[in-house]
Amino acid sequence: MKYLEEYRDARAARHYSRLLRKMVTRPWTIMEVCGGQTHAIVRFGVDELLPPEIMLVHGPGCPVCVTPVELIDKAVEIAARPNVIFCSFGDMLRVPGSNSDLFSVKARGGDVRIVYSPLDALKIARENPSREVVFFAVGFETTAPANAMAVYQAKQLGVKNFSILVSHVLVPPAMEAILSSPTNRVNGFLAAGHVCTVMGYHEYEPISRKYRVPIVVTGFEPVDILQGLVMCVRQLEEGRAEVENQYTRAVKREGNTSAQKLIQEVFQVVARKWRGIGEIPSSGLGLREPYREFDAEERFGVASQCVEESPECISGLILQGVKKPHECPAFASRCTPEHPLGATMVSSEGACAAYYRYRRPQATSPARSDEA
């Protein structure tokens, strides 16, 4: 299969592994930003192919994981109302809020539906004009164009019973927050390829210059990640700090300008709270004034809520690369996918979920060794 098998080729993986072992002369800590890359690294054992000097830490690039508790609570409150059809991606249903989750609302009779696109939710709204239909709009720059399109179409079509609960976050401000932290130990980044297909990578160039940190736009297969690491480590060893693009088969520097225009038409940059991390200035998207009628928080009067997160969950430290999942005392004991303390254990892109699935002692390794 073109663009898949060649990026899971074991000989190519060994080649890049040998290159890394030859070029590295000192310890480097590199963060992969995206949860999809984290799962590929753990699933295929990419980190086990690296020389001991290279440490990978996992970043805040899982949209489900960084959705704050307050938003989950608001989703639960709205979804429990009798005249509401609440639509969401499936990952969000088991993410715990303060006292409940969307799956529990559904079990109690709430009309909570899993959809695969915000346009599906808009279709449901048009088919049910007597009911309020709400879509849980979570995600990074990757999902923003589709969510913007749903709101844009709703306005154009005059659909009055559709709204979105917005929890959009942006990658570059989160990277700056990590680099500015006194606990930062990241020397280089593997940037998420799919985010860059939308936004390009010109946004990363000022960050690379300001913090003297290499950033390599990278894909999601094992060979992609190893090649991205070679490019990143080569820069570190040569004392360079630039933005490079490993994912050239999908990413251009300017990104998808049509998608960017649609995002800018519907959304504006706002401050946003990240679960386990706190508020990061200019790190999220909110609806612009002409589209505020589609804001579920205002429509349902749930705009102001502030709750405390579980002190037992260390997902914030994991999302900032300070800790790894297996360093959490609750990992795989008091925190499991069936009874998660935090979103990183229940999301399909969560770092804790990756370690639980692929790295527990009882987890099977043959699949990984066969596929790498």
Side-chain angles (χ1 to χ4, degrees), residues 147-163:
N147 292 337
M149 177 59 77
V151 173
Y152 182 81
Q153 286 194 2
K155 189 173 182 64
Q156 297 299 311
L157 296 169
V159 180
K160 300 297 184 183
N161 64 323
F162 176 75
S163 58

Side-chain angles (χ1 to χ4, degrees), residues 155 265-266 268 286-294 298:
K155 189 173 182 64
E265 164 66 26
V266 175
Q268 60 185 350
L287 288 165
R288 289 188 182 278
E289 187 59 38
Y291 299 93
R292 292 288 288 277
E293 63 183 294
F294 299 100
E298 294 192 3

